[in-house]
PDB file of all heavy atoms in Angstrom:
ATOM      1  N   ALA A 166     107.740 109.040  -0.932  1.00 97.00           N
ATOM      2  CA  ALA A 166     107.227 110.401  -0.759  1.00 97.00           C
ATOM      3  C   ALA A 166     108.079 111.401  -1.528  1.00 97.00           C
ATOM      4  O   ALA A 166     107.562 112.316  -2.191  1.00 97.00           O
ATOM      5  CB  ALA A 166     107.180 110.752   0.729  1.00 97.00           C
ATOM      6  N   ALA A 167     109.401 111.231  -1.458  1.00 97.00           N
ATOM      7  CA  ALA A 167     110.310 112.182  -2.093  1.00 97.00           C
ATOM      8  C   ALA A 167     110.124 112.235  -3.601  1.00 97.00           C
ATOM      9  O   ALA A 167     110.246 113.302  -4.218  1.00 97.00           O
ATOM     10  CB  ALA A 167     111.762 111.823  -1.756  1.00 97.00           C
ATOM     11  N   PHE A 168     109.818 111.091  -4.215  1.00 96.00           N
ATOM     12  CA  PHE A 168     109.687 111.041  -5.667  1.00 96.00           C
ATOM     13  C   PHE A 168     108.237 111.100  -6.134  1.00 96.00           C
ATOM     14  O   PHE A 168     107.935 110.781  -7.280  1.00 96.00           O
ATOM     15  CB  PHE A 168     110.395 109.808  -6.218  1.00 96.00           C
ATOM     16  CG  PHE A 168     111.897 109.911  -6.149  1.00 96.00           C
ATOM     17  CD1 PHE A 168     112.627 109.102  -5.304  1.00 96.00           C
ATOM     18  CD2 PHE A 168     112.570 110.836  -6.921  1.00 96.00           C
ATOM     19  CE1 PHE A 168     114.006 109.204  -5.223  1.00 96.00           C
ATOM     20  CE2 PHE A 168     113.951 110.947  -6.852  1.00 96.00           C
ATOM     21  CZ  PHE A 168     114.675 110.137  -6.001  1.00 96.00           C
ATOM     22  N   GLY A 169     107.348 111.541  -5.254  1.00 95.00           N
ATOM     23  CA  GLY A 169     106.004 111.887  -5.683  1.00 95.00           C
ATOM     24  C   GLY A 169     105.009 110.758  -5.780  1.00 95.00           C
ATOM     25  O   GLY A 169     104.003 110.886  -6.495  1.00 95.00           O
ATOM     26  N   ALA A 170     105.229 109.644  -5.080  1.00 97.00           N
ATOM     27  CA  ALA A 170     104.219 108.578  -5.081  1.00 97.00           C
ATOM     28  C   ALA A 170     102.927 109.097  -4.453  1.00 97.00           C
ATOM     29  O   ALA A 170     102.951 109.915  -3.520  1.00 97.00           O
ATOM     30  CB  ALA A 170     104.723 107.365  -4.312  1.00 97.00           C
ATOM     31  N   ASP A 171     101.811 108.636  -4.972  1.00 97.00           N
ATOM     32  CA  ASP A 171     100.508 109.053  -4.434  1.00 97.00           C
ATOM     33  C   ASP A 171     100.108 108.239  -3.215  1.00 97.00           C
ATOM     34  O   ASP A 171      99.317 108.711  -2.396  1.00 97.00           O
ATOM     35  CB  ASP A 171      99.433 108.918  -5.521  1.00 97.00           C
ATOM     36  CG  ASP A 171      99.684 109.860  -6.683  1.00 97.00           C
ATOM     37  OD1 ASP A 171      99.758 111.083  -6.444  1.00 97.00           O
ATOM     38  OD2 ASP A 171      99.822 109.379  -7.823  1.00 97.00           O
ATOM     39  N   ALA A 172     100.635 107.029  -3.095  1.00 98.00           N
ATOM     40  CA  ALA A 172     100.316 106.171  -1.945  1.00 98.00           C
ATOM     41  C   ALA A 172     101.250 104.977  -1.954  1.00 98.00           C
ATOM     42  O   ALA A 172     101.886 104.659  -2.972  1.00 98.00           O
ATOM     43  CB  ALA A 172      98.856 105.704  -1.992  1.00 98.00           C
ATOM     44  N   MET A 173     101.317 104.314  -0.793  1.00 98.00           N
ATOM     45  CA  MET A 173     102.046 103.050  -0.679  1.00 98.00           C
ATOM     46  C   MET A 173     101.079 101.995  -0.162  1.00 98.00           C
ATOM     47  O   MET A 173     100.308 102.257   0.771  1.00 98.00           O
ATOM     48  CB  MET A 173     103.241 103.176   0.259  1.00 98.00           C
ATOM     49  CG  MET A 173     104.009 101.868   0.446  1.00 98.00           C
ATOM     50  SD  MET A 173     105.432 102.030   1.568  1.00 98.00           S
ATOM     51  CE  MET A 173     106.600 102.813   0.473  1.00 98.00           C
ATOM     52  N   ILE A 174     101.129 100.814  -0.780  1.00 98.00           N
ATOM     53  CA  ILE A 174     100.257  99.713  -0.390  1.00 98.00           C
ATOM     54  C   ILE A 174     101.123  98.614   0.221  1.00 98.00           C
ATOM     55  O   ILE A 174     102.130  98.206  -0.366  1.00 98.00           O
ATOM     56  CB  ILE A 174      99.472  99.176  -1.604  1.00 98.00           C
ATOM     57  CG1 ILE A 174      98.614 100.301  -2.208  1.00 98.00           C
ATOM     58  CG2 ILE A 174      98.602  97.987  -1.204  1.00 98.00           C
ATOM     59  CD1 ILE A 174      97.988  99.960  -3.537  1.00 98.00           C
ATOM     60  N   LEU A 175     100.726  98.146   1.399  1.00 97.00           N
ATOM     61  CA  LEU A 175     101.498  97.154   2.136  1.00 97.00           C
ATOM     62  C   LEU A 175     100.714  95.851   2.233  1.00 97.00           C
ATOM     63  O   LEU A 175      99.527  95.855   2.589  1.00 97.00           O
ATOM     64  CB  LEU A 175     101.805  97.672   3.541  1.00 97.00           C
ATOM     65  CG  LEU A 175     102.414  99.081   3.607  1.00 97.00           C
ATOM     66  CD1 LEU A 175     102.560  99.522   5.049  1.00 97.00           C
ATOM     67  CD2 LEU A 175     103.739  99.131   2.884  1.00 97.00           C
ATOM     68  N   GLY A 176     101.376  94.745   1.925  1.00 96.00           N
ATOM     69  CA  GLY A 176     100.725  93.444   2.021  1.00 96.00           C
ATOM     70  C   GLY A 176     100.568  92.988   3.462  1.00 96.00           C
ATOM     71  O   GLY A 176     101.173  93.553   4.387  1.00 96.00           O
ATOM     72  N   PRO A 177      99.765  91.947   3.686  1.00 93.00           N
ATOM     73  CA  PRO A 177      99.507  91.457   5.049  1.00 93.00           C
ATOM     74  C   PRO A 177     100.763  91.009   5.785  1.00 93.00           C
ATOM     75  O   PRO A 177     100.806  91.048   7.013  1.00 93.00           O
ATOM     76  CB  PRO A 177      98.552  90.280   4.823  1.00 93.00           C
ATOM     77  CG  PRO A 177      97.945  90.507   3.485  1.00 93.00           C
ATOM     78  CD  PRO A 177      98.990  91.205   2.683  1.00 93.00           C
ATOM     79  N   GLN A 178     101.796  90.563   5.074  1.00 91.00           N
ATOM     80  CA  GLN A 178     103.022  90.082   5.704  1.00 91.00           C
ATOM     81  C   GLN A 178     104.052  91.181   5.919  1.00 91.00           C
ATOM     82  O   GLN A 178     105.132  90.931   6.445  1.00 91.00           O
ATOM     83  CB  GLN A 178     103.641  88.969   4.843  1.00 91.00           C
ATOM     84  CG  GLN A 178     102.705  87.807   4.555  1.00 91.00           C
ATOM     85  CD  GLN A 178     102.124  87.203   5.822  1.00 91.00           C
ATOM     86  OE1 GLN A 178     102.846  86.983   6.792  1.00 91.00           O
ATOM     87  NE2 GLN A 178     100.833  86.952   5.825  1.00 91.00           N
ATOM     88  N   CYS A 179     103.725  92.387   5.531  1.00 93.00           N
ATOM     89  CA  CYS A 179     104.654  93.501   5.673  1.00 93.00           C
ATOM     90  C   CYS A 179     104.739  93.918   7.146  1.00 93.00           C
ATOM     91  O   CYS A 179     103.771  93.787   7.897  1.00 93.00           O
ATOM     92  CB  CYS A 179     104.153  94.674   4.835  1.00 93.00           C
ATOM     93  SG  CYS A 179     105.423  95.799   4.293  1.00 93.00           S
ATOM     94  N   CYS A 180     105.900  94.413   7.570  1.00 90.00           N
ATOM     95  CA  CYS A 180     106.001  94.906   8.947  1.00 90.00           C
ATOM     96  C   CYS A 180     105.189  96.192   9.098  1.00 90.00           C
ATOM     97  O   CYS A 180     104.776  96.808   8.120  1.00 90.00           O
ATOM     98  CB  CYS A 180     107.463  95.118   9.335  1.00 90.00           C
ATOM     99  SG  CYS A 180     108.336  96.356   8.373  1.00 90.00           S
ATOM    100  N   ASP A 181     104.973  96.562  10.332  1.00 91.00           N
ATOM    101  CA  ASP A 181     104.102  97.691  10.652  1.00 91.00           C
ATOM    102  C   ASP A 181     104.805  99.009  10.318  1.00 91.00           C
ATOM    103  O   ASP A 181     105.877  99.300  10.850  1.00 91.00           O
ATOM    104  CB  ASP A 181     103.763  97.638  12.143  1.00 91.00           C
ATOM    105  CG  ASP A 181     102.667  98.601  12.546  1.00 91.00           C
ATOM    106  OD1 ASP A 181     102.498  99.633  11.866  1.00 91.00           O
ATOM    107  OD2 ASP A 181     101.977  98.319  13.543  1.00 91.00           O
ATOM    108  N   PRO A 182     104.217  99.849   9.454  1.00 93.00           N
ATOM    109  CA  PRO A 182     104.869 101.119   9.101  1.00 93.00           C
ATOM    110  C   PRO A 182     104.910 102.111  10.249  1.00 93.00           C
ATOM    111  O   PRO A 182     105.625 103.116  10.173  1.00 93.00           O
ATOM    112  CB  PRO A 182     104.010 101.645   7.953  1.00 93.00           C
ATOM    113  CG  PRO A 182     102.656 101.056   8.207  1.00 93.00           C
ATOM    114  CD  PRO A 182     102.930  99.679   8.765  1.00 93.00           C
ATOM    115  N   PHE A 183     104.153 101.846  11.328  1.00 92.00           N
ATOM    116  CA  PHE A 183     104.142 102.759  12.463  1.00 92.00           C
ATOM    117  C   PHE A 183     104.961 102.233  13.642  1.00 92.00           C
ATOM    118  O   PHE A 183     104.861 102.783  14.740  1.00 92.00           O
ATOM    119  CB  PHE A 183     102.711 103.072  12.889  1.00 92.00           C
ATOM    120  CG  PHE A 183     102.001 103.953  11.907  1.00 92.00           C
ATOM    121  CD1 PHE A 183     101.077 103.424  11.010  1.00 92.00           C
ATOM    122  CD2 PHE A 183     102.265 105.309  11.850  1.00 92.00           C
ATOM    123  CE1 PHE A 183     100.438 104.228  10.086  1.00 92.00           C
ATOM    124  CE2 PHE A 183     101.639 106.124  10.934  1.00 92.00           C
ATOM    125  CZ  PHE A 183     100.715 105.587  10.043  1.00 92.00           C
ATOM    126  N   PHE A 184     105.767 101.210  13.418  1.00 90.00           N
ATOM    127  CA  PHE A 184     106.753 100.859  14.430  1.00 90.00           C
ATOM    128  C   PHE A 184     107.721 102.032  14.574  1.00 90.00           C
ATOM    129  O   PHE A 184     108.001 102.754  13.613  1.00 90.00           O
ATOM    130  CB  PHE A 184     107.512  99.598  14.039  1.00 90.00           C
ATOM    131  CG  PHE A 184     106.800  98.314  14.417  1.00 90.00           C
ATOM    132  CD1 PHE A 184     105.554  98.330  15.006  1.00 90.00           C
ATOM    133  CD2 PHE A 184     107.410  97.092  14.187  1.00 90.00           C
ATOM    134  CE1 PHE A 184     104.910  97.154  15.355  1.00 90.00           C
ATOM    135  CE2 PHE A 184     106.768  95.898  14.528  1.00 90.00           C
ATOM    136  CZ  PHE A 184     105.520  95.933  15.118  1.00 90.00           C
ATOM    137  N   ARG A 185     108.228 102.214  15.778  1.00 87.00           N
ATOM    138  CA  ARG A 185     109.046 103.385  16.095  1.00 87.00           C
ATOM    139  C   ARG A 185     110.202 103.567  15.116  1.00 87.00           C
ATOM    140  O   ARG A 185     110.477 104.674  14.646  1.00 87.00           O
ATOM    141  CB  ARG A 185     109.575 103.265  17.533  1.00 87.00           C
ATOM    142  CG  ARG A 185     110.463 104.406  17.982  1.00 87.00           C
ATOM    143  CD  ARG A 185     110.754 104.295  19.466  1.00 87.00           C
ATOM    144  NE  ARG A 185     111.383 103.026  19.805  1.00 87.00           N
ATOM    145  CZ  ARG A 185     112.702 102.840  19.841  1.00 87.00           C
ATOM    146  NH1 ARG A 185     113.511 103.833  19.553  1.00 87.00           N
ATOM    147  NH2 ARG A 185     113.199 101.669  20.176  1.00 87.00           N
ATOM    148  N   GLN A 186     110.887 102.478  14.801  1.00 89.00           N
ATOM    149  CA  GLN A 186     112.042 102.565  13.914  1.00 89.00           C
ATOM    150  C   GLN A 186     111.637 102.970  12.503  1.00 89.00           C
ATOM    151  O   GLN A 186     112.319 103.771  11.850  1.00 89.00           O
ATOM    152  CB  GLN A 186     112.783 101.237  13.904  1.00 89.00           C
ATOM    153  CG  GLN A 186     114.199 101.317  13.381  1.00 89.00           C
ATOM    154  CD  GLN A 186     114.952 100.025  13.635  1.00 89.00           C
ATOM    155  OE1 GLN A 186     114.375  98.941  13.621  1.00 89.00           O
ATOM    156  NE2 GLN A 186     116.246 100.130  13.866  1.00 89.00           N
TER     157      GLN A 186
END
Side-chain angles (χ1 to χ4, degrees):
F168 288 112
D171 295 302
M173 178 180 282
I174 300 170
L175 309 175
Q178 304 306 315
C179 206
C180 63
D181 191 333
F183 288 102
F184 276 3
R185 179 171 58 91
Q186 198 170 33

